Amino acid sequence: MSRIKLESVEVGYGGPAIVSDFNYTIPKGKITTIIGANGCGKSTLLKAIARIIPYQKGGIYLDAINMAKENPKVLAKKITMLSQKMNPLEGLTVKELVGYGRYPYRKGLKGFDKEDEMAIAWAIAKTEIGEIENEDIGALSGGQLQRVWIAMALAQETDIILLDEPTTYLDMAHQLEILNLLKDLNEKDNRTIVMVLHDINQAARFSDCIIAMKSGQIIEEGSVERVMNKRVLKNVFNIDAYIDIDPLSGKPMCRSYECLPPKRHEKNIS
């Protein structure tokens, strides 16, 4: 079962396509992670799904409706995205920033109603940031701020959450805190999670499905076992990977790897 379907999608920034002829159906109620080398189109694809940037060809459908034609406020009640770089407004408290997630439900200049307050309180409790809800966001650590962003997304009450490298700039402990929180949201609250991760072992440990991308296209997709193998990792990252089993998750992991010589393109002499 799915809610988001991509059909022959092409995305670019005015020049050559960054993502081309992309076809994929995102499974509902699962964690899907996109992996690939820098510049392969991961973040571009995520932004197109979130309608942050337009796509040039094909179609992206949410519940069989073309997202390009959907009302932005209606769409914001179904899907939310946390970009890699989020710039918080200065002078806001944690609770005030979380409240921004209620924007799609606001009517005119009216303040929060009881339903808004309940959604904000639930999001704060779920992300365990109640102790800092009255603090200025400028005083927070990276891990705390990331939880606040996720709380804002939860206050938006969408079933689908997109995240572009949610663990960037965080230390190892805070990375695990964020990924465990996302896993909890998926398993206990049935949120569909789609995210981009650089760490392939984290992707393997916390995902149900993985999309491996190269040059704007899918190289392999499906279960962790299908994607995390020597053949796929060689093709996507140009490495000779040593695959083992993660003792915590029981899934494949890259224990170590060697970089392979750069691939040289033969010159066309015809």
Side-chain angles (χ1 to χ4, degrees), residues 2 5 24 33 56 64 72 74 76 80 100 109-110 112 135 143 153 164 168-169 175 189 207 210 225 256-257 261 270:
S2 67
K5 187 174 184 179
Y24 190 74
T33 301
Q56 283 67 52
V74 172
T80 187
Y100 272 60
L109 299 176
K110 292 182 179 181
F112 293 134
E135 290 191 20
D164 189 5
T168 299
Y169 308 126
Q175 288 178 21
D189 297 291
S207 305
I210 296 180
E225 289 75 15
S256 188
Y257 62 93
S270 59

Side-chain angles (χ1 to χ4, degrees), residues 143-156:
Q144 288 175 322
L145 186 56
Q146 197 72 319
R147 280 183 174 270
V148 176
W149 286 125
I150 294 174
M152 185 183 73
L154 293 183
Q156 200 168 321

Side-chain angles (χ1 to χ4, degrees), residues 35-36 40 212-219 234-237 263:
I35 64 171
C40 73
M213 288 183 64
K214 181 179 180 181
S215 301
Q217 296 183 323
I218 295 176
I219 296 300
K234 179 180 179 180
N235 195 346
V236 173
F237 297 103
K263 295 180 180 178

Side-chain angles (χ1 to χ4, degrees), residues 231-261:
R231 174 186 61 82
V232 173
L233 297 184
K234 179 180 179 180
N235 195 346
V236 173
F237 297 103
N238 199 40
I239 61 173
D240 183 16
Y242 295 82
I243 306 299
D244 206 340
I245 299 298
D246 183 343
L248 293 176
S249 68
K251 297 178 180 179
M253 62 173 289
C254 180
R255 185 178 65 181
S256 188
Y257 62 93
E258 294 283 355
C259 292
L260 295 170

Side-chain angles (χ1 to χ4, degrees), residues 4 6 26 30 32 34 42-52 60 62 67 75 78-84 86 146 149-150 153 156 158-166 182 191-196:
I4 300 177
L6 297 90
I26 296 174
K30 302 292 184 181
T32 300
I34 308 169
K42 305 184 298 296
S43 296
T44 298
L45 177 66
L46 207 64
K47 290 175 183 176
I49 296 174
R51 221 173 77 169
I52 293 174
I60 302 178
L62 176 60
M67 290 173 62
L75 188 63
K78 299 178 180 180
I79 186 169
T80 187
M81 176 172 170
L82 297 183
S83 298
Q84 183 178 352
M86 301 285 286
Q146 197 72 319
W149 286 125
I150 294 174
Q156 200 168 321
T158 64
D159 295 327
I160 303 168
I161 304 175
L162 312 179
L163 305 102
D164 189 5
E165 300 182 29
L182 295 174
R191 295 293 199 273
T192 297
I193 308 288
V194 185
M195 60 182 171
V196 168

Side-chain angles (χ1 to χ4, degrees), residues 7-20:
E7 295 184 347
S8 303
V9 173
E10 180 176 303
V11 192
Y13 296 94
I18 305 298
V19 175
S20 59

